[in-house]
Amino acid sequence: MADVILSDVIKVYPGGVKAVRKVSFAAPDGALCVLVGPSGCGKSTLLRMIAGLEDISGGSISIGGRVVNDLEPMDRD
Protein backbone atom coordinates (compact mmCIF):
# COMPACT_ATOMS: atom_id res chain seq x y z
CA MET A 1 0.00 0.00 0.00
CA ALA A 2 0.97 3.67 -0.17
CA ASP A 3 -0.15 7.04 1.11
CA VAL A 4 -2.90 8.63 -1.01
CA ILE A 5 -3.10 12.41 -0.79
CA LEU A 6 -5.66 14.61 -2.55
CA SER A 7 -5.11 18.38 -2.63
CA ASP A 8 -7.94 20.64 -3.79
CA VAL A 9 -9.17 18.10 -6.37
CA ILE A 10 -11.83 19.44 -8.73
CA LYS A 11 -13.89 17.79 -11.47
CA VAL A 12 -15.88 19.92 -13.90
CA TYR A 13 -17.68 18.25 -16.79
CA PRO A 14 -18.33 19.93 -20.15
CA GLY A 15 -21.15 22.41 -19.80
CA GLY A 16 -19.87 23.58 -16.42
CA VAL A 17 -21.33 20.81 -14.23
CA LYS A 18 -19.21 20.68 -11.05
CA ALA A 19 -19.06 17.08 -9.84
CA VAL A 20 -16.29 17.48 -7.23
CA ARG A 21 -15.33 20.76 -5.56
CA LYS A 22 -11.92 21.21 -3.89
CA VAL A 23 -11.65 17.89 -2.04
CA SER A 24 -8.55 17.46 0.12
CA PHE A 25 -7.67 14.52 2.36
CA ALA A 26 -4.86 12.15 3.19
CA ALA A 27 -5.18 8.39 3.54
CA PRO A 28 -1.99 7.11 5.18
CA ASP A 29 -0.47 3.78 4.22
CA GLY A 30 -2.52 0.94 5.71
CA ALA A 31 -5.47 3.13 6.74
CA LEU A 32 -9.09 2.26 6.00
CA CYS A 33 -11.05 5.23 4.66
CA VAL A 34 -14.76 5.44 3.92
CA LEU A 35 -16.52 7.92 1.63
CA VAL A 36 -20.12 8.55 2.56
CA GLY A 37 -22.69 10.96 1.22
CA PRO A 38 -25.96 11.20 -0.64
CA SER A 39 -26.47 9.94 -4.16
CA GLY A 40 -24.89 12.21 -6.74
CA CYS A 41 -22.43 13.96 -4.41
CA GLY A 42 -19.30 12.77 -6.28
CA LYS A 43 -18.12 9.71 -4.32
CA SER A 44 -17.74 7.43 -7.35
CA THR A 45 -16.26 10.24 -9.46
CA LEU A 46 -13.64 10.86 -6.78
CA LEU A 47 -12.70 7.17 -6.65
CA ARG A 48 -12.52 7.03 -10.46
CA MET A 49 -10.17 10.03 -10.45
CA ILE A 50 -7.89 8.36 -7.88
CA ALA A 51 -7.83 5.21 -10.03
CA GLY A 52 -7.08 7.23 -13.17
CA LEU A 53 -10.33 6.40 -14.94
CA GLU A 54 -11.45 10.06 -14.93
CA ASP A 55 -9.30 13.12 -15.67
CA ILE A 56 -9.16 15.75 -12.95
CA SER A 57 -9.93 19.38 -13.73
CA GLY A 58 -7.77 20.84 -10.97
CA GLY A 59 -5.71 20.03 -7.90
CA SER A 60 -3.40 17.08 -7.45
CA ILE A 61 -3.50 13.41 -6.54
CA SER A 62 -0.41 11.86 -5.01
CA ILE A 63 0.10 8.13 -4.48
CA GLY A 64 3.21 6.91 -2.69
CA GLY A 65 4.81 10.35 -2.79
CA ARG A 66 4.48 10.99 -6.54
CA VAL A 67 1.87 13.07 -8.35
CA VAL A 68 -0.20 10.80 -10.60
CA ASN A 69 -2.48 13.38 -12.27
CA ASP A 70 -1.32 12.52 -15.78
CA LEU A 71 -0.45 8.83 -15.33
CA GLU A 72 -2.50 6.04 -16.88
CA PRO A 73 -4.25 3.67 -14.42
CA MET A 74 -1.75 0.85 -15.04
CA ASP A 75 1.17 3.19 -14.22
CA ARG A 76 -0.19 4.28 -10.82
CA ASP A 77 0.70 1.07 -8.92
Side-chain angles (χ1 to χ4, degrees), residues 44-65:
S44 295
T45 301
L46 189 62
L47 291 173
R48 290 177 57 81
M49 289 190 294
I50 293 169
L53 302 174
E54 289 270 355
D55 292 331
I56 70 171
S57 302
S60 69
I61 299 174
S62 173
I63 300 175

Side-chain angles (χ1 to χ4, degrees), residues 27-50:
D29 183 17
L32 174 67
C33 296
V34 179
L35 294 173
V36 294
S39 178
C41 73
K43 301 178 300 287
S44 295
T45 301
L46 189 62
L47 291 173
R48 290 177 57 81
M49 289 190 294
I50 293 169

